Each structure stands twice: as C-alpha cells, then as structure tokens.
Amino acid sequence: MGAPKQKWTSEEEEALRRGVLKHGAGKWRTIQKDPEFSPVLSSRSNIDLKDKWRNLSFSASGLGSRDKIRVPRIKVPSSSPSPSPQLLLLPAPDNVVEASAPEDIAKSPEDDKTHIPKFAMILEALAELKEPNGSDVTTIYNFIEIEKSYKLTDAYAKKMLAPMKDPSQKKDPAKPSKASKNLGLFAAASPALDAAQAAAMKVADAEAKAHIANEHMMEAERIFKMAEETESLLTLATELYDRCSRGEVLTVLQAAHREF
DNA sequence: GTAGGGTTAGGT
DNA sequence: ACCTAACCCTAC
C-alpha cells in the first residue's frame, strides 16, 4: 500500500548485470545471496531479478522496441465489422532492427574517435596478402558475426554503407554495385576484397582472443562499442574495395595514411 | 527455484 | 490510448 512501484536503481541494475556475468543467467538465487550483490539487491527477490533481467535483455535485444511484432490485438468491437478486413497481420519484414539499444549507439557522441587501433592489423593483413586470388566474400561476413559479439543486421549494414558517400569522389558510372545487399555487403570477388577479408579475419581473431581472455565480458555496452569499431573497419574495407575495383592501385603506405 | 504468462501501475 | 516496467500467479 505504501510502495506502488519500486523502480530499479542503476546500482541495482549494475549489480544484477555483474551477477549474471559472474554466475550466469538463471542463477537468480545465487546472485541474490552473493555477498557481493546482496547489500544492493537485499530488497529484491530472486524472482525480481529474473523479471528485471527479462526486461533488460528484451529491450536491449532490439526486439520489443516499438516496431513490429506487436500483434494487433483482436479486440473485436463485436458491433462494427470494419468493411475492410485487409489488416490481417502482415508478415512484417524482418528489417529495421535498428541495431537496438537506444542507449548508446543512438547518441553516438564521438563522431571521429581516434580511428581504430585495429588499423595496424589491417595493414598487416594487407601486407601479407599481396597475392590476390579473390574468394568467397561471405567469409568476411561470417567472421564479423563471431558468435556473440558481432551480430550485424541487414539494417545495420545499410546504415554502415550510408555514411560512405564521399562527395569528393567523382561519380564513376563504372562503379560496382555496392548496393548488392544480396548476401551481405559485397557480392563480388577482387584482390582488394580478399585483402579486406584477411583484414577482417585478423581483427575478428584478435577480438575473439580478447574475449576469451576476458572471460565472458559480453555486456551490451561492450558489444555496441565493438559494433561501432567494426563499422569503421567495414567502411574502410569497402572503400578499399571500391577504389581497387575501379582499377586503381593502392599501396599499403597509401592505405596507412588514408591517401586514397 | 526457475521460466513463462498474465496483471497492473506509471509514464508519455 | 498506448507502451513499458514492476509485480503476481502458476506450471514444471
């Protein structure tokens, strides 16, 4: 009667997240009893933890936003049979997942953060891969999707391609169809692409190792941060591919200074 | 004890 | 009026 709703504080939320990282989701009682979190979560029951976690993961997952999946509640006024029954449920295309998280990524305070510490790795890969053979590009995509971290949606991919418009570049009609989102971002094979693939592989591998070393540091914040960096990487790779596909020759040094 | 569905209060 | 989040109930 006195406490209509007990909103979760950021401390409680933080404790819950850490608790899940430590004990895993589902071990609510364990988390609740853990001396590390019990002082903060003393007023919360194990069920509360479960419910809160459900809310967190649901809204952070991109789902549950205010988009589709809202089944039109069939209220049926029982008195006004709308003459146009054409609003049965549409299949609702699976796009527009919006990369989720209206928390961090939407704000995007830093536009040009000191670009990619991974750039060195990219160059390394480029140097190693002097021999073009052009191969399956889906590999690059697969690597970007490494298990849990990088889950790029098609919408996200499109988002990534959007800022790539470089006004200083001459409109070359011979431009390859980069809009071929058939499978992922690219759909052709070329030397530059192969190099880009290797670069992505290196980055992905390094990331994966970092993850293993970090145990299960898979927090949403971290994921989004990586997604942003991956976005930069893909942008770079796409640029390289675009230039090379037009017959231009790029050296590693040029790439290093971004003089292309 | 946990998972999932359902209910209700608060906010927009 | 609708949506989200906290709370409640029940089956496993």
Side-chain angles (χ1 to χ4, degrees), chain A residues 7-259:
Chain A
K7 299 260 325 176
W8 278 67
T9 66
S10 50
E11 279 79 20
E12 288 173 324
E13 193 177 315
E14 167 85 8
L16 172 60
R17 298 175 68 122
R18 289 182 56 203
V20 170
L21 281 176
K22 184 174 180 180
H23 299 286
K27 302 286 184 282
W28 310 118
R29 194 59 213 252
T30 308
I31 296 172
Q32 210 271 334
K33 279 176 54 184
D34 191 313
E36 188 179 344
F37 313 115
S38 54
V40 184
L41 301 174
S42 56
S43 61
R44 302 291 181 181
S45 69
N46 52 336
I47 299 181
D48 290 333
L49 301 191
K50 184 255 300 178
D51 284 333
K52 180 58 180 178
W53 184 251
R54 178 168 54 174
N55 288 338
L56 280 177
S57 47
F58 193 63
S59 59
S61 208
L63 305 170
S65 280
R66 49 225 108 213
D67 238 318
K68 60 259 169 116
I69 310 192
R70 211 98 218 157
V71 177
R73 312 170 78 133
I74 316 171
K75 285 255 174 111
V76 185
S78 78
S79 188
S80 52
S82 40
S84 49
Q86 56 191 152
L87 75 150
L88 296 208
L89 16 112
L90 308 172
D94 54 308
N95 53 4
V96 197
V97 178
E98 185 92 23
S100 65
E103 210 169 88
D104 288 317
I105 212 167
K107 289 181 184 172
S108 166
E110 327 92 310
D111 284 59
D112 260 325
K113 53 169 78 175
T114 21
H115 217 67
I116 341 177
K118 306 175 175 66
F119 200 76
M121 284 187 283
I122 299 175
L123 294 181
E124 202 179 350
L126 282 173
E128 283 180 13
L129 249 160
K130 289 194 165 174
E131 297 182 341
N133 44 357
S135 53
D136 185 19
V137 192
T138 55
T139 314
I140 190 174
Y141 210 70
N142 289 336
F143 270 98
I144 291 169
E145 280 195 16
I146 293 184
E147 270 195 338
K148 38 259 167 140
S149 331
Y150 314 94
K151 200 64 182 185
L152 297 185
T153 63
D154 195 57
Y156 201 138
K158 271 192 268 183
K159 223 161 129 193
M160 176 218 103
L161 284 174
M164 261 197 50
K165 291 212 143 140
D166 194 8
S168 67
Q169 267 188 340
K170 39 186 141 185
K171 296 300 189 125
D172 201 15
K175 198 178 245 172
S177 58
K178 79 166 67 169
S180 58
K181 65 272 184 157
N182 203 351
L183 218 192
L185 312 179
F186 324 94
S190 83
L193 237 188
D194 200 60
Q197 175 183 333
M201 282 174 64
K202 267 200 176 291
V203 174
D205 186 54
E207 290 290 356
K209 278 173 182 156
H211 285 237
I212 293 172
N214 261 345
E215 251 181 50
H216 287 70
M217 278 283 285
M218 285 299 120
E219 298 189 53
E221 278 183 19
R222 192 163 165 74
I223 292 174
F224 293 137
K225 210 162 155 190
M226 287 188 205
E228 280 183 25
E229 290 178 335
T230 304
E231 180 179 327
S232 299
L233 164 64
L234 285 177
T235 302
L236 171 62
T238 309
E239 284 179 27
L240 284 171
Y241 166 56
D242 203 69
R243 303 287 292 193
C244 288
S245 62
R246 284 205 294 269
E248 297 186 24
V249 178
L250 298 178
T251 67
V252 175
L253 273 181
Q254 278 177 317
H257 299 154
R258 289 188 82 96
E259 294 173 348

